[in-house]
């Protein structure tokens, strides 16, 4: 598997300056430029070092639990026009989502750079939990920035991070959500570059983050492609994934970019509808601009002020998106659609009842998209879906949505 | 000679540093920010940095974050920033805009430069734009004869200092510390070293920002820099007062203290003879 890392990309993006076409790049204070150069060099050095790759693969096998299985979701398929639906089970990874792939890579890189402290932003808490986990595993100090609104709605994940030894700092600036947590992490990073690595959790931010995070998630697509071929004897007709920042989608898309017959679909959080002000669908409802160090699509007003996003899924509730998705959108290689809160929760319930899998609400957006796609493509189609995370963290939200009552013992 | 170059030349003739003061447009209100800027200029601020309030100011500390949040809550738009620039220019002090990149990109670099020129502005500081990404911006600022001020930082390599200096005009902004805006009890020793390293790369004036909050610190920085940039301290001075009148008074008093500071440098630096 180590040899395949770059094998399926004859025309690699980004270019040498970190751009995906007109997207990407680095829009950061000068003070960060040296650190980004250092990180870029360290990443390239590590990712071509067989020893580093072997250690990454060893932890993925013995700690994350890779390879994650592929599940043939036959009962779900009945609701999807009879199309065959294959679920890539990233929900079965340690810590419950795909996030661990990137975190293990960057935590190993942190040690390799001789740094002793990692900081990270988190929205839903999944990336924060994954970062705290890897920090504990590798003996790194860990500080997680989390918007105050999110610390309140994801209290269980705050406790998880603290149990793992991390310090969680609630961010009270701005809209007090993920975007403000990213700002605060950047501010921390610039003051402590000598000791600290900013372990960014998605394929956004200044170069080299979009490329580096993609590479650490490429294992998802590499495995899923081989597993699909083994199971069905052919490539899937379509690949579906949810897109917030876009890391799980990029991870699974990568392996299929050079397969023109495989359609790629990303599903964004449509919230209450892209026609309303309350959504997080940057690629289908946003415009081109610069946020958090990169040029991509984002939600902004006519003066370039960031507009707050909305989604029932905290993990998709981000007003920006990774620059490679912007590139794939504009080149037409991938198609992006939105899925509303209601559609996502219907799919959430459907997957629970048909397959016995409680998905993360983020991933339920991909399920909703696959059901929509299956009904369009018909019974002969095979759709590979990235089930990026499990839904334990979302049980309270789902119970509230479906009007269930939870006996509260501690709240 | 541009209006800003005249200010630097005059200060050099007086063997002192230039005092540059920052205030966000629309803070606490549009009229309020203009009143504060007028007071700053009356009390010795030589060049004004009009802040364009932005939703995600990642190079700013808590003081300026709060001020720009208030300005945005007031409904401050780019047109209000241009109005503030016009009022600033009317005081006779050169008016710069300090803006993160996205509002400029969204407005259109060419249109933004045209609007700023029309408002009587002389240049722009862009804290999250590096020369590598500045292609369209170089063209727009050249076309409208605006100074474009980029930053150097203590972490900048000699190659990057060269790059930033070649792209800059008006002056070069030396960020004194590895961090965000905010008052500090002392100005980082890194600032002096950075100014010396930058000196070798450009004939432009070099101004130091981040962390200066009083006359004594301004005097210290004025010993080696051509200009002293103060932002958070002005906002704090206003914010600490219970009413606007006291706030304006406090901002004026701080400007006077800082203006005395930039005139109190202990010894003219050697490079004066060089320039």
């Amino acid at each position: 598997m180590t040899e395949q890392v770059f094998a399926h990309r004859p025309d690699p993006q980004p270019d040498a300056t970190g751009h995906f076409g007109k997207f990407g790049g680095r829009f950061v204070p000068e003070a960060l430029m040296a650190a980004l150069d250092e990180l870029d060099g360290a990443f390239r050095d590590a990712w071509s070092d067989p020893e580093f790759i072997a250690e990454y693969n060893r932890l993925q096998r013995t700690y994350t639990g890779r390879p994650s299985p592929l599940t043939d979701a036959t009962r779900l398929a009945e609701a999807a026009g009879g199309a065959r639906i294959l679920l890539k089970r990233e929900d079965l990874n340690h810590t419950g989502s795909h996030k661990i792939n990137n975190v293990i890579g960057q935590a190993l890189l942190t040690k390799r750079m001789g740094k002793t402290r990692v900081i990270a932003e988190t929205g839903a808490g999944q990336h924060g939990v994954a970062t705290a986990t890897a920090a504990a595993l590798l003996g790194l100090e860990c500080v997680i920035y989390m918007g105050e609104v999110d610390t309140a709605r994801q209290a269980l994940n705050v406790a998880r991070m603290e149990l793992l030894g991390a310090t969680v700092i609630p961010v009270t600036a701005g809209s007090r959500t993920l975007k403000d947590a990213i700002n605060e992490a950047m501010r921390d990073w610039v003051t402590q570059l000598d000791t600290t690595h900013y372990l960014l959790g998605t394929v956004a931010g200044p170069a080299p983050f979009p490329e580096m995070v993609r590479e650490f998630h490429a294992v998802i697509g590499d495995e899923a492609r081989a597993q699909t071929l083994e199971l069905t004897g052919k490539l899937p007709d379509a690949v579906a994934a949810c897109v917030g920042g876009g890391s799980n989608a990029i991870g699974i898309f990568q392996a299929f970019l050079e397969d023109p017959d495989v359609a790629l679909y990303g599903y964004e959080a449509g919230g209450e509808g892209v026609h309303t002000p309350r959504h997080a669908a940057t690629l289908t409802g946003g415009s081109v601009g610069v946020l958090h160090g990169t040029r991509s699509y984002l939600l902004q007003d006519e003066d370039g002020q960031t507009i707050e996003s909305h989604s029932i899924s905290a993990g998709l509730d981000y007003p920006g998106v990774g620059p490679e998705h912007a590139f794939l959108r504009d080149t037409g290689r991938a198609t992006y659609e939105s899925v509303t809160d209601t559609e996502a929760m219907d799919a959430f319930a459907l997957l629970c009842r048909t397959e016995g899998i409680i998905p993360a609400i983020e991933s339920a957006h991909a399920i909703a998209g696959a059901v929509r796609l299956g009904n369009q493509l018909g019974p002969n189609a095979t759709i590979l879906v990235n089930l990026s995370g499990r839904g334990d963290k979302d049980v309270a939200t789902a119970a509230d949505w479906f009007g269930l009552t939870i006996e509260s013992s501690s709240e | 000679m541009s209006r800003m170059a005249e200010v630097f030349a005059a200060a050099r003739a007086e063997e002192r540093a230039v005092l540059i003061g920052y205030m966000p447009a629309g803070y606490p209100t549009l009229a309020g920010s203009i009143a504060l800027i007028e007071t700053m200029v009356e009390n010795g601020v030589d060049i004004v940095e009009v802040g364009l309030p932005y939703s995600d100011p990642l190079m700013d500390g808590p003081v300026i974050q709060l001020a720009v949040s208030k300005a945005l809550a007031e409904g401050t738009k780019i047109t209000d920033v241009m109005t503030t620039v016009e009022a600033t220019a009317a005081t006779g002090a050169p008016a710069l805009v300090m803006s993160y990149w996205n509002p400029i990109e969204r407005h259109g670099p060419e249109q933004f430069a045209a609007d700023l020129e029309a408002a009587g502005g002389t240049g722009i500081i862009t804290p999250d734009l590096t020369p590598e990404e500045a292609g369209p911006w170089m063209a727009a600022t050249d076309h409208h004869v605006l100074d474009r001020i980029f930053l150097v930082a203590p972490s900048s390599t000699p190659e990057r200092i060269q790059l930033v200096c070649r792209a800059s005009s008006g002056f070069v902004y030396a960020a004194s510390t590895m961090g965000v805006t905010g008052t500090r009890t002392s100005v980082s020793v890194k600032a002096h070293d950075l100014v010396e390293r930058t000196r070798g790369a450009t004939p432009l004036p070099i101004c130091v920002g981040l962390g200066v909050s009083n006359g004594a610190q301004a005097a210290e920085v004025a010993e080696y820099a051509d200009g002293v940039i103060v932002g958070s301290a002005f906002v704090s001075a206003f914010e600490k007062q219970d009413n606007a009148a006291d706030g304006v008074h406090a901002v004026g008093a701080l400007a006077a203290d800082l203006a005395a500071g930039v005139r109190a440098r202990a010894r003219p630096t050697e490079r004066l003879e060089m320039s």
Side-chain angles (χ1 to χ4, degrees):
Chain A
M1 187 135 295
T2 61
E3 294 77 11
Q4 306 177 9
V5 166
F6 291 107
H8 46 69
R9 275 187 294 285
D11 180 22
Q13 294 284 343
D15 64 17
T17 60
H19 292 85
F20 302 85
K22 69 175 178 179
F23 300 104
R26 286 179 184 170
F27 295 83
V28 295
E30 171 64 23
L32 282 178
M33 290 298 281
L36 292 170
D37 282 339
E38 178 199 13
L39 179 60
D40 190 85
F43 166 66
R44 275 168 224 296
D45 185 61
W47 210 228
S48 57
D49 177 353
E51 272 185 43
F52 179 90
I53 295 171
E55 179 62 2
Y56 168 80
N57 287 338
R58 185 186 71 80
L59 285 175
Q60 286 280 42
R61 199 171 57 247
T62 64
Y63 189 72
T64 307
R66 301 208 74 91
S68 64
L70 191 73
T71 299
D72 201 343
T74 52
R75 281 184 22 88
L76 175 66
E78 290 169 22
R84 190 173 194 181
I85 297 192
L86 305 176
L87 303 176
K88 179 57 174 169
R89 300 293 304 280
E90 292 297 296
D91 61 314
L92 295 177
N93 292 338
H94 180 44
T95 74
S97 81
H98 73 291
K99 292 288 185 190
I100 191 82
N101 300 320
N102 166 50
V103 160
I104 283 181
Q106 287 198 53
L108 285 172
L109 193 59
T110 303
K111 294 210 74 148
R112 189 179 168 101
M113 291 189 292
K115 297 186 177 185
T116 57
R117 178 175 178 265
V118 287
I119 57 172
E121 83 294 342
T122 197
Q126 292 303 90
H127 176 57
V129 168
T131 302
T133 298
L137 176 69
L138 297 177
L140 298 165
E141 186 190 345
C142 181
V143 173
I144 304 294
Y145 289 94
M146 190 170 184
E148 198 178 39
V149 170
D150 293 327
T151 58
R153 63 182 173 182
Q154 300 284 345
L156 195 62
N157 270 340
V158 174
R160 277 202 184 100
M161 289 181 265
E162 289 173 343
L163 286 169
L164 291 161
T167 303
V168 179
I169 300 182
V171 176
T172 57
S175 59
R176 297 176 292 140
T177 57
L178 177 58
K179 81 173 180 68
D180 306 286
I182 294 174
N183 293 337
E184 206 54 34
M186 291 257 197
R187 292 178 187 124
D188 175 316
W189 195 30
V190 73
T191 62
Q192 306 193 55
L193 291 169
D194 292 344
T195 62
T196 300
H197 173 61
Y198 178 14
L199 210 161
L200 187 66
T202 192
V203 287
F209 283 107
E211 179 186 8
M212 178 174 69
V213 175
R214 175 191 77 193
E215 291 303 314
F216 290 143
H217 282 306
V219 63
I220 304 171
D222 290 342
E223 287 178 4
R225 193 174 192 279
Q227 289 166 322
T228 304
L229 282 171
E230 190 186 342
L231 182 69
T232 70
K234 61 185 182 65
L235 292 173
D237 297 292
V239 177
C242 65
V243 178
S247 64
N248 88 80
I250 282 290
I252 198 161
F253 285 178
Q254 279 306 301
F256 301 96
L257 284 180
E258 306 303 324
D259 299 315
D261 294 336
V262 179
L264 306 176
Y265 283 87
Y267 294 97
E268 298 193 293
E272 295 174 9
V274 177
H275 58 284
T276 75
R278 289 173 61 78
H279 65 82
T282 49
L283 291 163
T284 49
S287 53
V288 176
V290 169
L291 177 65
H292 293 142
T294 193
R295 180 181 286 117
S296 185
Y297 281 82
L298 59 120
L299 303 182
Q300 58 182 335
D301 71 11
E302 71 281 4
D303 268 5
Q305 308 288 352
T306 310
I307 294 174
E308 283 176 41
S309 54
H310 166 82
S311 168
I312 190 169
S313 150
L316 302 182
D317 198 352
Y318 177 58
V321 66
E324 189 165 6
H325 285 295
F327 178 74
L328 294 174
R329 173 199 186 276
D330 278 16
T331 57
R333 178 61 189 93
T335 303
Y336 297 87
E337 296 179 1
S338 68
V339 165
T340 63
D341 288 351
T342 301
E343 291 172 304
M345 294 312 290
D346 288 350
F348 179 99
L350 181 66
L351 191 69
C352 289
R353 302 283 175 103
T354 57
E355 298 292 338
I357 297 169
I358 301 178
I361 297 176
E362 290 79 10
S363 317
H365 286 70
I367 299 293
V371 169
R372 186 191 293 169
L373 199 56
N375 282 300
Q376 290 164 8
L377 298 179
N380 294 325
T382 299
I383 302 168
L384 171 65
V385 185
N386 197 10
L387 192 67
S388 57
R390 68 178 183 228
D392 305 41
K393 69 184 176 61
D394 293 319
V395 168
T397 306
D400 189 43
W401 179 273
F402 293 114
L404 307 176
T405 315
I406 297 181
E407 293 294 327
S408 177
S409 57
S410 60
E411 295 176 330
Chain B
M1 188 181 286
S2 78
R3 182 75 194 93
M4 197 158 72
E6 285 172 23
V7 170
F8 278 104
R12 244 192 317 270
E14 294 172 20
E15 298 195 347
R16 69 170 178 93
V18 161
L19 176 60
I20 302 172
Y22 163 93
M23 191 58 67
Y27 170 79
T29 61
L30 176 58
S33 61
I34 291 171
L36 286 173
I37 287 167
E38 287 168 350
T39 301
M40 286 160 69
V41 174
E42 280 163 22
N43 286 278
V45 168
D46 299 297
I47 296 171
V48 176
E49 229 186 271
V50 177
L52 191 154
Y54 175 53
S55 54
D56 294 273
L58 60 78
M59 203 184 144
D60 284 305
V63 170
I64 291 177
Q65 284 176 45
L66 182 67
V68 300
S69 299
K70 287 183 176 180
L72 288 172
E74 276 287 307
T76 304
K77 311 293 288 181
I78 289 177
T79 52
D80 300 314
V81 175
M82 296 303 169
T83 302
T84 310
V85 167
E86 255 183 73
T88 302
T91 66
L96 302 172
V97 164
M98 200 304 296
S99 179
Y100 289 89
W101 178 245
N102 195 50
I104 298 175
E105 174 153 320
R106 180 68 166 158
H107 197 73
E110 171 63 28
Q111 187 62 50
F112 195 98
D115 290 356
L116 184 59
E117 184 186 29
T122 60
I124 315 188
I125 302 170
T126 44
D128 63 345
L129 185 70
T130 56
E132 286 93 331
E133 299 286 354
W137 186 230
M138 305 292 279
T141 45
D142 280 344
H143 182 202
H144 293 281
V145 201
L146 294 166
D147 287 322
R148 52 175 179 262
I149 293 132
F150 292 100
L151 282 74
V152 291
S155 59
S156 300
T157 58
E159 294 74 29
R160 290 206 57 81
I161 288 177
Q162 288 281 352
L163 181 74
V164 170
C165 288
R166 275 200 304 274
S168 297
S169 55
F171 66 86
V172 176
Y173 189 131
S176 71
T177 184
M178 296 297 287
V180 296
T181 57
T183 59
R184 290 175 178 80
T185 48
S186 66
V187 178
S188 166
V189 291
K190 289 175 178 168
H192 193 168
D193 172 61
L194 176 61
V195 170
E196 293 310 314
R197 291 200 295 135
T198 308
R199 203 61 89 186
T202 182
L204 289 171
I206 300 164
C207 301
V208 170
L210 302 193
V212 181
S213 60
N214 58 45
Q217 288 175 341
E220 187 191 319
V221 173
E223 285 185 26
Y224 56 81
D226 302 295
V228 179
I229 305 170
V230 181
S232 296
F234 280 120
V235 174
S236 276
F238 181 82
E239 193 67 33
K240 278 181 190 156
Q241 301 301 320
D242 294 332
N243 63 70
D246 287 352
V248 171
H249 184 77
V251 165
L254 176 63
D257 179 39
L258 291 163
V262 297
R263 286 165 174 80
R265 67 176 168 206
R267 55 181 190 281
T269 54
E270 287 160 22
R271 45 123 207 126
L272 282 175
E273 285 87 72
M274 290 162 47
S275 60

